[in-house]
Amino acid sequence: MEQTAFAIKKKVYDNRIVTFAPLYTSNRCVNNCLYCGFRSGNDEARRRVLTPDEVRREAEVLAGEIGHKRLIMVYGEHPDSDIDYIVDTVRTVYGVHMKTRSGSDACIRRVNINAAPMDVASLKRLKEAGIGTYQVFQETYDRSVYERVHPKGTLKSHYRWRLYCMHRAYEAGIDDTGMGVLFGLADWRFEVLGLVYHAAELERVFGVGPH
């Protein structure tokens, strides 16, 4: 397995190492996931939604001062960080162009996002905004565990809505997706099989799988 993994990595990336920086734009969330510090029931959290100027400044630091070319922007599921906010902040980041101390041009070339599942119309807007990877973790494929850690009455409690978000993303024209689970919530062996089967289904239907 190690040799196979190395051969695939070598074929895809050669000796290149690709890094990206996270940019948390908001920690307001309507969900109350039992494992998450951002959950709505956490009264000790200090809630923030970055303004466009704050997002721009973060991008300037990440691109111009640190040298990153790729970001993953993270959004809480909340009306204050809806699709309009996401599209605006993505475009704000792409609009940052500046000179580094050495005089070279600095900008963010690829904006990946980690956001809640959306409908096809909203996902088309993400595509038009030029996002890279659309990332959504299923968290767990175990239905009983999923129901226990995602309380009823919240948006995230709908298992199938989340499960099929990547199908909607490909239908919307997004061609790069990222999936994952939170190991530790359920039997890791079941979770790995769930991820593999999910990826295989996307390849069967759309001809392309996820990260």
Side-chain angles (χ1 to χ4, degrees):
M1 288 179 68
E2 183 179 0
Q3 292 173 346
T4 301
F6 180 78
I8 293 171
K9 183 266 180 189
K10 183 79 172 177
K11 181 179 179 180
V12 174
Y13 292 107
D14 196 37
N15 288 324
R16 190 169 58 122
I17 296 175
V18 178
T19 63
F20 60 85
L23 173 51
Y24 285 80
T25 63
S26 63
N27 66 349
R28 292 179 184 170
C29 190
V30 299
N31 297 305
N32 199 27
C33 309
L34 301 186
Y35 50 81
C36 184
F38 290 168
R39 66 185 180 275
S40 60
N42 181 5
D43 296 330
E44 297 181 4
R46 297 176 59 188
R47 306 294 179 175
R48 283 290 310 278
V49 177
L50 297 185
T51 66
D53 286 341
E54 289 173 324
V55 170
R56 182 178 297 105
R57 177 54 185 155
E58 293 288 330
E60 289 172 349
V61 170
L62 290 166
E65 298 181 22
I66 301 177
H68 283 290
K69 296 178 176 62
R70 300 169 183 83
L71 299 184
I72 183 161
M73 300 181 70
V74 184
Y75 300 87
E77 190 166 12
H78 191 276
D80 290 344
S81 52
D82 60 8
I83 183 61
D84 292 328
Y85 176 81
I86 294 174
V87 169
D88 288 346
T89 51
V90 168
R91 288 175 174 163
T92 294
V93 169
Y94 277 136
V96 170
H97 295 273
M98 54 190 303
K99 294 289 185 180
T100 65
R101 293 189 181 95
S102 63
S104 61
D105 294 324
C107 64
I108 299 298
R109 299 175 183 173
R110 183 180 178 92
V111 176
N112 307 315
I113 72 163
N114 183 314
M118 304 179 193
D119 57 31
V120 173
S122 297
L123 290 163
K124 285 181 178 179
R125 293 184 61 189
L126 292 184
K127 173 68 175 179
E128 293 169 359
I131 69 162
T133 303
Y134 172 59
Q135 177 179 291
V136 177
F137 277 29
Q138 184 63 23
E139 320 298 22
T140 176
Y141 287 94
D142 187 312
R143 289 291 294 268
S144 61
V145 174
Y146 190 96
E147 291 175 1
R148 177 171 57 82
V149 299
H150 301 112
K152 291 182 179 180
T154 62
L155 292 174
K156 202 166 178 177
S157 65
H158 299 287
Y159 179 91
R160 287 176 63 86
W161 175 252
R162 195 169 191 86
L163 184 67
Y164 282 94
C165 66
M166 296 308 175
H167 285 69
R168 297 192 298 276
Y170 286 122
E171 290 170 8
I174 293 174
D175 55 8
D176 201 65
T177 62
M179 302 191 316
V181 295
L182 298 179
F183 288 111
L185 295 180
D187 188 326
W188 67 269
R189 294 163 294 188
F190 181 83
E191 303 288 36
V192 170
L193 290 174
L195 271 174
V196 170
Y197 195 86
H198 197 170
E201 172 67 5
L202 292 172
E203 290 186 356
R204 183 187 71 81
V205 176
F206 300 101
V208 62
H211 292 292

